[in-house]
Amino acid sequence: GGGGGEGGAAVESPVLPSEAAEAIKSEMAAEKAKSDPDFKRLKQLKADLDAQCKHDAKIAQLEARLKTAMEKTDFDVADELNDELEALKAVVLVTAAEVAAAEAKLKAAMEKRSLQLLQEAIPQAENCGVDTAAATALLRQCEQEAAAAAAAAAGLKAAMDKRSIQLLQKAIPQAENCGVDTAAATALLRQCEQGEAAAKSAAAGLKAAMDTRSIQLLQKAIPQAENCGVDTAAAKELLRRCEQA
């Protein structure tokens, strides 16, 4: 009876290493055999081997339970176990090197505050089980900043299209605060301010010429005012009357 008990206890065979585990072992052996082994890589491989062995053990446990269920003709349980087993076998373990690469990529994206890099790095990091809470918060912030910059750029363009001093004076600092290039707009603002000053000066000269009713001053002031966009209709009519007098 005791011998039969010992035989029953020995039914479960030890878990044999999977092909994946053997591949990791081979890579570890090759790295260890080098004259200058990469210890960082060896640590990663050791972590990979531990994870793979745990994964293999879970598969072996499910296979044993499935075998028992089949022997007991408990097909409902066997069906569930088989689904669970297939799902587990389909899992592709993330390697320590992949985790390290995902962490490095996420860190670089955060340091650069790059919207595009963050959008790429975050899902990759999540797939590797890397914490992405801070990166996701930064992504939201960058998206808000990008939206604000786009709105500021649109406002700046509208102000430039209208050549409005008031709109430019408002739009330029808003755009600068959002990191939008304002060099062209600033140059245009100076040009508009100079034009406005010239127009005021020409209008004042035209008014003085009209007040004095001087043909010579009117003949000089009218073209100057026209060049500055000042309305000269009344001045021209005055000049015509003065010349006829």
Side-chain angles (χ1 to χ4, degrees):
E6 288 175 5
V11 169
E12 284 194 29
S13 58
V15 178
L16 296 175
S18 64
E19 289 184 11
E22 290 291 359
I24 297 170
K25 285 182 178 180
S26 295
E27 192 173 347
M28 284 181 69
E31 189 64 44
K32 286 164 67 177
K34 293 179 180 178
S35 58
D36 184 20
D38 184 342
F39 290 103
K40 181 181 178 183
R41 181 63 183 142
L42 284 170
K43 289 177 184 178
Q44 290 176 340
L45 289 169
K46 177 65 168 59
D48 293 344
L49 182 59
D50 290 344
Q52 187 64 54
C53 288
K54 287 179 182 178
H55 185 69
D56 293 344
K58 288 179 182 178
I59 290 175
Q61 289 170 2
L62 275 177
E63 287 175 337
R65 289 171 60 193
L66 176 58
K67 183 181 178 183
T68 301
M70 291 293 288
E71 288 171 351
K72 292 180 178 179
T73 65
D74 192 348
F75 299 127
D76 287 336
V77 173
D79 188 25
E80 292 177 5
L81 289 170
N82 187 64
D83 288 343
E84 191 176 343
L85 181 61
E86 291 302 315
L88 191 59
K89 285 182 176 180
V91 171
V92 178
L93 296 183
V94 177
T95 66
E98 288 171 336
V99 172
E103 288 175 337
K105 186 171 183 178
L106 190 67
K107 184 174 182 288
M110 292 180 71
E111 287 174 351
K112 292 180 180 178
R113 297 178 65 87
S114 164
L115 194 61
Q116 183 179 351
L117 292 180
L118 283 167
Q119 288 170 336
E120 292 175 1
I122 288 173
Q124 290 178 3
E126 286 175 342
N127 290 338
C128 292
V130 176
D131 180 16
T132 60
T136 301
L138 179 60
L139 174 60
R140 292 196 196 99
Q141 183 181 337
C142 290
E143 287 173 337
Q144 292 170 350
E145 290 173 356
L156 191 65
K157 183 180 183 301
M160 292 178 73
D161 289 343
K162 292 179 180 177
R163 300 180 67 89
S164 163
I165 291 176
Q166 185 178 356
L167 291 179
L168 283 166
Q169 287 173 334
K170 181 180 178 182
I172 287 172
Q174 289 178 345
E176 286 175 341
N177 289 338
C178 293
V180 177
D181 181 16
T182 60
T186 301
L188 178 61
L189 174 59
R190 290 197 198 98
Q191 183 182 337
C192 291
E193 287 173 337
Q194 290 169 354
E196 184 181 59
K200 286 181 178 178
S201 176
L206 189 65
K207 183 179 183 299
M210 291 177 72
D211 289 345
T212 58
R213 301 175 69 88
S214 163
I215 292 175
Q216 184 179 357
L217 290 180
L218 282 167
Q219 287 174 332
K220 181 181 178 182
I222 288 172
Q224 290 178 345
E226 285 178 337
N227 289 338
C228 293
V230 177
D231 181 16
T232 60
K236 284 180 177 178
E237 176 58 24
L238 177 61
L239 175 59
R240 189 183 63 79
R241 293 202 305 269
C242 289
E243 286 174 336
Q244 289 176 346

